[in-house]
Amino acid sequence: MKARMRRLGVAALAVLLLSACAAEEKNVIYAADYPAYDSADALFAGAKLVIEGRLTGTKRVMTEVEPADDGTETDPQLNPNAGATPDAEAPPAGPPTVMTVSSVEVVKVRKGLARVGQVIQVKELGGTLDGVTYEEADATPLKTGVTYMLFLETYPDSPASLLNPEQAKYVVTSAGTYSAMPDNPVKLEDADVQRLSIKE
């Protein structure tokens, strides 16, 4: 689970809980624990990449694949429960981990390795796949055509992800100010951005 959660962009100690509504509704609600941030300083420190970027309108849906067993699940020496109930039926598979990947064109780089004009792939939990809608509880998905300040975790073999679905994105207004999501108590001021920006 730890490896899987790292690739989802959730802290290594986070737990992903899944609950499904009635089958006929074809709706699955995800609930996940993320690290919380109490200041702009903490957000900048926690992110590998901080950009201002505009969603280009290109989105795709993908599923995260559970990493292969490295032997710890089935090795009785490493897992005392391995083989304890050989005759028991395997538990039913849970819903897939569905992600929506957005294309974000970089407008400004505030921290990390990126360049203006580059298109970065950013994934969020949820999306519609095979007629089923997967949603993350209390999260506001990225919207096409909107410019955001994004605080991202990056990976060598997977799209980038937000540090926190509500706290790691701010709408960049036409006046150049930063508007927080509804459940984010941390205000982001231009003075904070200028002070904390790191050019690499």
Side-chain angles (χ1 to χ4, degrees), residues 130-150:
D130 298 331
V132 180
T133 299
Y134 301 84
E135 298 176 297
E136 184 170 8
D138 304 320
T140 306
L142 292 167
K143 294 181 180 179
T144 299
V146 176
T147 300
Y148 293 93
M149 172 80 82
L150 300 176

Side-chain angles (χ1 to χ4, degrees), residues 14 32-33 37 58 99 118 120 131 138 144 152 155 164 189 199:
D33 290 329
Y37 299 87
T58 304
M99 314 289 293
Q118 180 180 355
I120 293 175
D138 304 320
T144 299
L152 302 168
Y155 312 93
N164 177 306
E189 305 291 345
K199 306 298 182 185

Side-chain angles (χ1 to χ4, degrees), residues 157-174:
D157 58 352
S158 183
S161 59
L162 297 162
L163 296 182
N164 177 306
E166 287 294 287
Q167 288 195 288
K169 60 175 173 263
Y170 292 77
V171 173
V172 181
T173 70
S174 57

Side-chain angles (χ1 to χ4, degrees), residues 67-137:
D69 179 17
D70 60 5
T72 59
E73 295 295 322
T74 54
D75 186 339
Q77 302 234 345
L78 299 174
N79 179 6
N81 294 322
T85 56
D87 297 329
E89 290 185 11
T97 303
V98 175
M99 314 289 293
T100 295
V101 181
S102 300
S103 297
V104 181
E105 183 178 357
V106 178
V107 176
K108 293 181 182 178
V109 181
R110 299 299 187 174
K111 176 185 176 182
L113 299 176
R115 65 184 186 279
V116 173
Q118 180 180 355
V119 176
I120 293 175
Q121 304 297 304
V122 178
K123 62 187 175 187
E124 296 179 283
L125 197 54
T128 300
L129 184 67
D130 298 331
V132 180
T133 299
Y134 301 84
E135 298 176 297
E136 184 170 8

